[in-house]
Amino acid sequence: MRRPAWRWHDLRVVVLGLAFAAAWAGIGVRIYQVQAVDAARFAQRGFDQRVRHEVIPAPRGTIYARDGVELAISVAGADLVADPSIVDDAEEVASLLDPLLELDAAEIVERLEGDGRYARLARGLEPDAVEELEALIDGRELLGLTLVPRAVRVYPSGPLAAQVVGLTRLDTGAGIEGLEASLDDVLAGQDGRRIVERDPGGRVIPQGRLLVDPAVPGADVVTTLDRRIQYAAEQAISAAVERTGANWGTVVVLDPDTGEVLAMASAPGFDPNDRDALDPDAVVNRAVAEVYEPGSTLKVVTIAAALEEGLVAPSTELEVPQRIVIEPKEYTDPSDHPSTMTVAEIVERSSNVGTILVQRMLGNERHYRYLDAFGLGRRAAIDFPGERSGHLEHVSAWCRSTCGPSAAIGYGVSVTPLQMAALYATIANDGEWVEPHVVAEIVEADGRRIVTEPRRRRVLAPETARLLRSMLERVVEGGTGTRARVEGFTVAGKTGTTEKYLPDEQTYSTEDRIASFVGMAPAGDPEIVVAVVLDSPKGVLEDGTELKYGGASAAPVFAEVALAVLNDLGIPPDRPGVDGDG
Amino acid sequence: MTARTAPYVPTSEAPAAVAVARVPRLRPLTVFTIAAVLALFAIVFARVSLDKSAFELQRIEQEIAVEQARLAELRVEVARLRDPARIERVATEMGLVFPDERIPLRVEGRPLQGTP
């Protein structure tokens, strides 16, 4: 029997079988390699591609006025960025974006034709603008433009209370001025983190959350500011700065009973929403950041101390010369006065010499004790960023001759406008000093409320404070502060005019003055204290009075603000003779 | 040789071979298979339900985020509307002016109180 001969098709079958076997073996090896040998590595690569470690930004807290209206709030906005290498027709894109952005078309074209792959066209766009741009980009299928979402800080009332509220950085959102800076830790909250699995399209895979550590939203801050009073104060001080050509001006309105700052305005001001036009000088909160020698407004401390110590009474008569020499200085009174004056008349006429005579009866030690008790030389407020302490030399460092007399008339001591407001608020509050503050409460994200409790201390007896108020009332009725009168209300206050100290030259200006007025109304039971300070007002009134004097430039601002505040608070008129006939 | 015969059994007493019904007996493997299949279905169902819930949760979270953003926008709008500068501007446009003269009136026999 013969073996059958090999046939070609048998060989092909064998070869094919071997090829299949080899292919399957290869697949098997690869499977073994992927599933066994390198399994851990591939699993990790897949995991790394899906899993994202993300930061959950904490929403920044809101800053409110006392009536619950937002002064600063964060909204979901965006930046508009472009990749110039992808943008097809820069000029066409620019013409479309021009009406929606602050940049003009030429600048947009310049940025879109620049080198590189990144050009920012707008930063911090608000939701309305984002919506319009989204519609434009999608509708016209504009390539190379991207809206990058981010929280945007908005100040709905613009310039209102801008120096108090402050600013945040445009890039990081951190506070850099005002309450935004001083309470940044409180407002910022705590970012959370999230580890999630996302598909290649960036969508979160359901049940793919591995860890979510939620963000803790920032706390809200409720201020003591009254928006209407703040607005009235800003309008009045801006007009005064414009009218008098002053370098700057500031107004502080305090509630003497509670120490609450109802308004704190400085001019020139700024709009925190408009960063391009931002003037760094306008950002300064002059009410706490400027120090000046208070001049005659500080005489009240000398008189208060002498009254409290029982050395004088308002009716005590003193021989007051027109000038007095205390080596090496000569102190004079600016206007003629009788040679004998009562203490009340000394205050009314703002006599330098008379006040110095009272200070000599008092002595430096006791004088200093009262200056210190009124809070001079240290920060007045709880929560103001950039607040300066002013300067009050310790009595042990006072010179024997002129330091006391100079301090009595408001020289050699520097204060902030807020300190002066707090000082007069002490007199208004029957002798009890209350720490001024602008934050009423902080409301944590969990609803916990931290209410500000201002410090209090008694400086004068109530009776002394009442006597002072009646003397200060005479200043407005017939003394240097008549322009501070408010129709229908009794007003007590004091004018101040000091030569401006020039730190660079270490001397006093011969021309520029710091003009001020600090007062309260109604005088009998004050509901408000208003301090007004103007730096270097110039000009002359129709009656020839120079505006450099506090009684001419600052007192009218007081009257304007006080009237607005008294009306706003619904304080009834207390001035006799106003009923019926107006 | 004797013939052996079966004992006589009356017909009526004979076992009823036909009438006994057989109870079906499930083998353990079958039971296990059915249970496994049911469990598989249950797991799949639960998984699908969870996925649906996860999608729903995601949708709700997005809705909340959108509504919160909208709320913030509206709060900004309200605050802008209540801005004293805007109110004064609108009032001026409407022809409102501050009174030239304040005339406080005191009603005899009544203490001063409230807004003049």
Side-chain angles (χ1 to χ4, degrees):
Chain A
M1 193 174 154
R2 286 185 62 193
R3 279 183 72 189
W6 277 99
R7 283 181 296 196
W8 274 114
H9 75 272
D10 293 336
L11 184 59
R12 280 181 299 188
V13 168
V14 170
V15 169
L16 199 60
L18 286 174
F20 270 110
W24 282 109
I27 290 169
V29 167
R30 185 64 184 152
I31 288 171
Y32 178 73
Q33 191 180 12
V34 169
Q35 294 290 337
V37 178
D38 292 333
R41 188 167 62 87
F42 281 116
Q44 188 60 45
R45 270 177 67 178
F47 187 75
D48 290 346
Q49 282 174 358
R50 289 193 317 274
V51 173
R52 312 268 172 89
H53 293 252
E54 298 171 345
V55 172
I56 308 170
R60 192 173 176 83
T62 301
I63 300 177
Y64 294 97
R66 66 186 299 129
D67 59 359
V69 173
E70 292 82 355
L71 295 173
I73 182 171
S74 294
V75 295
D79 291 345
L80 177 63
V81 297
D83 181 349
S85 67
I86 300 176
V87 173
D88 283 337
D89 185 344
E91 291 197 0
E92 190 199 340
V93 173
S95 67
L96 293 168
L97 293 178
D98 182 31
L100 302 175
L101 302 182
E102 286 179 4
L103 296 175
D104 58 30
E107 205 166 341
I108 297 172
V109 169
E110 193 182 326
R111 293 190 189 189
L112 292 178
E113 288 180 342
D115 295 332
R117 300 196 57 187
Y118 180 85
R120 184 164 53 217
L121 301 178
R123 187 151 64 172
L125 292 164
E126 290 187 28
D128 289 349
V130 173
E131 219 168 281
E132 282 183 61
L133 283 165
E134 268 174 351
L136 176 71
I137 292 168
D138 294 343
R140 304 295 289 253
E141 295 182 351
L142 300 177
L143 295 175
L145 297 179
T146 309
L147 285 159
V148 182
R150 54 172 290 206
V152 175
R153 198 67 166 167
V154 178
Y155 302 89
S157 298
L160 192 80
Q163 287 106 342
V164 180
V165 173
L167 287 173
T168 55
R169 287 176 64 113
L170 286 175
D171 49 1
T172 62
I176 47 174
E177 287 290 343
L179 291 175
E180 294 273 32
S182 67
L183 297 176
D184 191 47
D185 290 347
V186 172
L187 288 162
Q190 204 174 349
D191 287 347
R193 67 195 177 103
R194 166 173 60 201
I195 303 175
V196 289
E197 289 183 65
R198 289 190 182 273
D199 66 15
R203 294 174 292 268
V204 174
I205 298 170
Q207 300 180 64
R209 293 176 192 208
L210 304 180
L211 175 80
V212 177
D213 182 8
V216 179
D220 294 335
V221 173
V222 182
T223 67
T224 59
L225 297 177
D226 182 305
R227 290 178 313 116
R228 286 180 298 190
I229 295 174
Q230 178 72 27
Y231 181 67
E234 286 180 6
Q235 293 295 99
I237 197 64
S238 295
V241 166
E242 198 171 321
R243 191 170 58 238
T244 63
N247 294 335
W248 55 262
T250 187
V251 176
V252 179
V253 183
L254 279 185
D255 179 335
D257 293 340
T258 62
E260 289 177 341
V261 176
L262 300 176
M264 186 178 269
S266 301
F270 72 101
D271 183 349
N273 297 311
D274 183 6
R275 301 297 176 94
D276 294 335
L278 198 65
D279 172 9
D281 282 344
V283 176
V284 178
N285 185 356
R286 308 278 178 180
V288 294
E290 290 288 351
V291 292
Y292 67 104
E293 287 174 306
S296 296
T297 52
L298 198 63
K299 288 173 182 166
V300 73
V301 175
T302 313
I303 303 300
L307 287 171
E308 183 77 5
E309 295 292 324
L311 300 174
V312 295
S315 58
T316 304
E317 290 188 340
L318 297 173
E319 288 290 325
V320 184
Q322 202 65 35
R323 57 177 53 83
I324 185 172
V325 176
I326 301 172
E327 292 297 341
K329 287 185 181 172
E330 182 185 45
Y331 297 92
T332 59
D333 280 336
S335 56
D336 291 340
H337 57 70
S339 58
T340 302
M341 287 196 290
T342 63
V343 171
E345 285 169 337
I346 288 171
V347 174
E348 183 181 335
R349 290 170 176 269
S350 194
S351 166
N352 292 332
V353 178
T355 310
I356 288 169
L357 293 176
V358 174
Q359 196 275 342
R360 295 180 92 172
M361 294 165 71
L362 191 63
N364 288 354
E365 290 286 345
R366 282 191 289 194
H367 185 200
Y368 172 82
R369 209 171 63 231
Y370 281 90
L371 288 169
D372 182 58
F374 273 109
L376 303 190
R378 55 178 182 267
R379 291 189 178 92
I382 301 170
D383 38 34
F384 284 104
E387 188 196 355
R388 295 174 70 182
S389 58
H391 182 73
L392 174 64
E393 197 78 58
H394 190 270
V395 67
S396 59
W398 284 17
C399 55
R400 286 177 180 272
S401 55
T402 58
C403 287
S406 292
I409 58 172
Y411 282 89
V413 176
S414 64
V415 299
T416 64
L418 180 67
Q419 283 175 331
M420 287 311 291
L423 192 158
Y424 275 73
T426 307
I427 297 166
N429 194 34
D430 283 344
E432 188 183 35
W433 181 87
V434 185
E435 194 169 29
H437 57 283
V438 77
V439 174
E441 62 177 350
I442 292 170
V443 184
E444 303 271 10
D446 58 7
R448 202 157 44 94
R449 307 173 90 90
I450 303 164
V451 179
T452 302
E453 295 290 347
R455 289 178 296 162
R456 293 168 179 269
R457 61 170 178 269
R458 179 150 294 282
V459 178
L460 301 171
E463 182 54 29
T464 308
R466 277 194 285 276
L467 288 174
L468 279 169
R469 289 203 298 269
S470 66
M471 285 194 277
L472 292 172
E473 198 177 341
R474 289 178 59 172
V475 174
V476 178
E477 285 301 310
T480 55
T482 51
R483 289 188 176 86
R485 285 183 198 151
V486 179
E487 190 187 346
F489 294 91
T490 55
V491 172
K494 187 74 191 75
T495 57
T497 307
T498 46
E499 293 169 355
K500 187 178 175 184
Y501 186 70
L502 306 171
D504 293 341
E505 286 106 62
Q506 296 201 335
T507 184
Y508 286 94
S509 168
T510 53
E511 306 213 338
D512 292 337
R513 300 284 186 275
I514 300 289
S516 59
F517 185 90
V518 194
M520 60 199 77
D525 184 13
E527 299 280 353
I528 55 159
V529 168
V530 181
V532 181
V533 181
L534 288 163
D535 174 18
S536 310
K538 298 166 190 74
V540 182
L541 290 174
E542 284 177 1
D543 64 0
T545 311
E546 290 186 87
L547 285 169
K548 66 183 181 184
Y549 295 111
S553 54
V557 180
F558 169 90
E560 192 179 340
V561 174
L563 179 62
V565 178
L566 291 165
N567 282 340
D568 189 73
L569 298 178
I571 311 296
D574 69 330
R575 195 183 173 87
V578 297
D579 46 342
D581 59 359
Chain B
M1 185 174 167
T2 50
R4 297 188 68 180
T5 56
Y8 170 76
V9 178
T11 311
S12 60
E13 292 177 19
V18 180
V20 176
R22 288 188 64 193
V23 177
R25 294 185 62 195
L26 292 175
R27 293 183 180 178
L29 183 62
T30 311
V31 173
F32 176 77
T33 305
I34 291 168
V37 169
L38 286 175
L40 188 68
F41 274 115
I43 289 168
V44 169
F45 179 76
R47 183 80 192 178
V48 169
S49 297
L50 275 174
D51 280 354
K52 278 174 72 177
S53 302
F55 277 121
E56 183 70 5
L57 182 65
Q58 219 169 331
R59 190 185 60 75
I60 291 169
E61 280 176 348
Q62 277 170 356
E63 244 173 58
I64 290 170
V66 167
E67 293 304 323
Q68 278 177 338
R70 179 82 186 126
L71 175 66
E73 286 172 41
L74 290 172
R75 285 168 65 190
V76 170
E77 202 176 320
V78 170
R80 280 185 173 144
L81 289 171
R82 294 178 68 178
D83 178 19
R86 191 197 76 88
I87 291 170
E88 189 188 31
R89 193 172 55 249
V90 172
T92 308
E93 284 168 9
M94 290 169 69
L96 300 176
V97 292
F98 286 102
D100 293 335
E101 193 179 5
R102 294 174 68 253
I103 306 175
L105 299 175
R106 181 181 294 164
V107 179
E108 287 303 322
R110 307 193 72 160
L112 281 173
Q113 57 183 338
T115 309

